[in-house]
Each structure stands twice: as structure tokens, then as C-alpha cells.
Amino acid sequence: MNGIHDLGGMTCFGPIRREEAEPVFHADWERRVFGMNIAALAFLGPVDRARHAIERMDPVEYLSSTYYEHWLIGLEMLAKDLGYATEQELATGRVAAIKPTPFPAPNAEQAEGLIRHGMPATRDKGRSTPAFAVGATVRARNIEVTGHTRLPRYVRGKIGIVTAQRGSHVFPDTAAHDRGENAQPLYTVRFEAKQLWGENVTRRDCVFIDLWEDYLEPTEARRA
């Protein structure tokens, strides 16, 4: 989605101030929300669905809330979307009963396995032969996005160099919307600062971004 959550490349928020000796969690409720989200992946579906829920937040609410508040709001949104809870139940903090859902309830072994090992997105099936070799010059496609995507807005239409092939991975744009995993090659692409920010940039910085094959096109292709 083209929303306020895609903050990459924006400079209007000032520098990120690093907190010395920062704790893992600033409050106990953050720890609990973290645990709830990790465990909930076992029955709320793929992680990209959870990311898309956060992207659907009201822009003002998104900017005025904290990181773990985003997680909690996204969790509540998915619970309503999938029929686990109603707006009234969430408001009162009481869920009346377990309701039929699109996903089978995980058993304790499945939940523990997810918490310990995560939800790998690598796949042996799907498109596995890379279209771009390491060293190839590619352009990030300049496309309108109405749903979830992992293609940052600030690299669309920009030219970069493939620096690594990462195997075949679940495609976020389809997985988030129940349109299949569409596993395909994933690449690390290097974008120079001058390419991203303009010809007047004197810094020799670069940005490395992992991008799926459907996000890329050969440089000789016409701009979208």
C-alpha cells in the first residue's frame, strides 16, 4: 500500500536517537504483546497478513502510536477480520466463546515449534530459477500498489545492481491476501545514494534491499 507506514526515504521526522542501554521492553505490556503476536501467527495466518493489518491503520493513529501499539492494533484487527472476536468483545476485554475460524486451532506442539523456529518463508517449490544473475543491472518496477507489498516506495523506478541471490521465498503481495504463496527468487539489490536521492548527492552511500523477482525488470525494459 502507498501509505504513511512506508517511511523509508522520508527526512521530515529528524534523526533516529539511539537510547543508551536500551532495555528489550520498556514496559511489561510490550513483552506481553510481543508474545501474543508470535503465538498468534499459528492461527492468524501468514506474517504478511499481520503486516497488512498494520498498514490499514488510520495515518494519524499510526504516527501517534508506538511500535508495540501497532502490533496490538494489528492483532485486534485480524481477530475481527477472521471472526475470533467482535468490536464489542475487544472493547470490554471479554471474548464470549471460541468461534469457527478459517484455520484449525494449533496444538501445543505446533505453537511451541512456531515460537522456537519462526515461520520460514523459503520454499523448494515454485519459481526457483533466477532470472537475474549476480552483477546484473535491474530496475525496481514503478507500479501502483493497492494491497500489501515489500517494495519500498523510494526505490520504485530506480536502478540497482544484484549483489546476491537468496533462493525462492513466499511472495508477500499474494500471501497477505490469500492468493497463494507464489514462491519466487529473492535478490539483494544495491542502490547508490545518487540514484535514490538525486544527481546532486555527493555521499558515496548505498542501500541494500531484498527484493522479489516480480518487483524487478531488466534495465532495457521500458519504465512502467
Side-chain angles (χ1 to χ4, degrees):
M1 294 177 67
N2 295 324
I4 193 60
H5 66 280
D6 189 356
L7 295 173
M10 299 181 70
T11 59
C12 55
F13 294 99
I16 297 175
R17 302 188 184 282
R18 182 175 180 179
E19 181 180 345
E20 296 297 333
E22 181 179 8
V24 176
F25 302 106
H26 287 82
D28 187 61
W29 71 266
E30 294 182 343
R31 177 185 60 79
R32 295 176 64 187
V33 168
F34 177 85
M36 289 165 57
N37 271 267
I38 297 301
L41 287 174
F43 58 90
L44 291 183
V47 65
D48 292 301
R49 177 185 284 138
R51 289 172 174 150
H52 183 56
I54 294 175
E55 293 164 0
R56 289 155 51 199
M57 289 177 61
D58 177 82
V60 174
E61 184 178 27
Y62 181 88
L63 290 175
S64 59
S65 53
T66 65
Y67 181 77
Y68 284 109
E69 285 177 314
H70 296 169
W71 281 34
L72 180 58
I73 292 169
L75 185 61
E76 292 176 345
M77 193 176 299
L78 288 177
K80 290 185 291 184
D81 288 348
L82 298 174
Y84 285 101
T86 66
E87 185 79 48
Q88 182 178 5
E89 287 172 336
L90 290 171
T92 59
R94 298 180 62 185
V95 177
I98 299 298
K99 305 173 180 63
T101 64
F103 303 98
N107 57 40
E109 183 177 346
Q110 290 173 319
E112 182 179 0
L114 178 64
I115 292 171
R116 291 185 179 277
H117 305 293
M119 186 182 289
T122 53
R123 294 293 184 271
D124 294 327
K125 57 184 179 180
R127 287 152 48 192
S128 57
T129 303
F132 305 105
V134 172
T137 302
V138 294
R139 178 183 288 113
R141 297 177 63 200
N142 187 17
I143 53 178
E144 180 182 34
V145 180
T146 57
H148 176 65
T149 189
R150 300 288 283 177
L151 175 61
R153 184 171 47 209
Y154 71 95
V155 303
R156 296 176 197 169
K158 306 299 184 179
I159 293 175
I161 305 293
V162 174
T163 61
Q165 297 170 340
R166 301 299 183 184
S168 184
H169 289 245
V170 173
F171 189 47
D173 300 45
T174 55
H177 303 288
D178 298 320
R179 297 200 303 264
E181 291 192 339
N182 191 17
Q184 59 186 263
L186 178 72
Y187 307 86
T188 298
V189 182
R190 184 184 76 240
F191 295 90
E192 302 297 333
K194 189 179 292 291
Q195 174 66 211
L196 294 176
W197 318 126
E199 289 298 322
N200 63 324
V201 173
T202 58
R203 301 185 307 277
R204 300 184 62 184
D205 300 337
C206 59
V207 178
F208 291 83
I209 305 178
D210 287 341
L211 297 173
W212 278 258
E213 191 165 276
D214 280 359
Y215 295 159
L216 303 171
E217 61 185 11
T219 52
E220 62 268 20
R222 181 177 300 175
R223 289 177 181 269

